Amino acid sequence: MQTNPFTPNEQQRIVEAIRQAEKATSGEIRVHVEPHCANADPVQRAIEVFAHLGMHQTKEQNGVLFYLAHADRKFAVLGDKGIDAKVPSNFWESTKDLLRSHFAAGNYAEGLSQGIERAGQQLKQYFPYASDDTNELADDISFD
């Protein structure tokens, strides 16, 4: 059963944030939303979703998944191997802090939009946009 906690406008804003972020980087960003986390650890669930969405198939292994289990109030930001090999270990901390501050107030759409924008800016220095870049992953939000 698909559960969407966003209004159509919020959903459009998130998709637009993905498109804007991907104009600055060759990185590929996806958002997956579900009410409940099927795993005690949201990072483990994000790893499962990452594989399910085929995100490991990007040429530079530079996919990023924003995972949100809104009813359980759990989330994770997961980067593929290509990103983890290049970025410092605390790379996602400021993005997670930004998400956490918005999510704590129940502002999921705003948090995701700003987190995606920040991720795009951060990825730009490691994975700049190339003129021959192709959009390898869909920009829409996936729901479970």
Side-chain angles (χ1 to χ4, degrees), residues 6-115:
F6 307 119
T7 67
N9 283 348
E10 288 174 331
Q11 191 166 330
Q12 186 54 46
R13 174 145 191 255
I14 293 165
V15 170
E16 188 55 33
I18 293 170
R19 290 185 180 137
Q20 288 301 316
E22 288 184 356
K23 285 182 180 177
T25 176
S26 63
E28 293 288 333
I29 299 170
R30 292 288 319 256
V31 173
H32 182 81
V33 177
E34 56 192 16
H36 300 288
C37 185
N39 196 308
D41 179 2
V43 174
Q44 284 306 118
R45 177 64 182 145
I47 291 169
E48 293 167 10
V49 170
F50 196 96
H52 174 72
L53 295 175
M55 291 184 64
H56 56 284
Q57 296 171 356
T58 59
K59 185 173 65 174
E60 294 188 65
Q61 295 183 307
N62 59 354
V64 179
L65 175 65
F66 283 77
Y67 169 78
L68 170 64
H70 58 90
D72 290 343
R73 302 177 65 88
K74 292 182 178 182
F75 75 95
V77 179
L78 185 68
D80 204 351
K81 308 189 264 226
I83 294 172
D84 289 346
K86 289 189 175 186
V87 303
S89 59
N90 65 345
F91 187 70
W92 299 115
E93 287 311 307
S94 65
T95 303
K96 287 193 269 193
D97 290 344
L98 179 67
L99 292 170
R100 197 174 287 115
S101 67
H102 284 286
F103 290 176
N107 298 327
Y108 297 114
E110 182 66 21
L112 283 168
S113 297
Q114 287 193 20

Side-chain angles (χ1 to χ4, degrees), residues 106-125:
N107 298 327
Y108 297 114
E110 182 66 21
L112 283 168
S113 297
Q114 287 193 20
I116 290 162
E117 288 167 18
R118 172 159 305 170
Q121 292 162 2
Q122 288 177 288
L123 286 171
K124 183 178 179 178
Q125 60 186 307

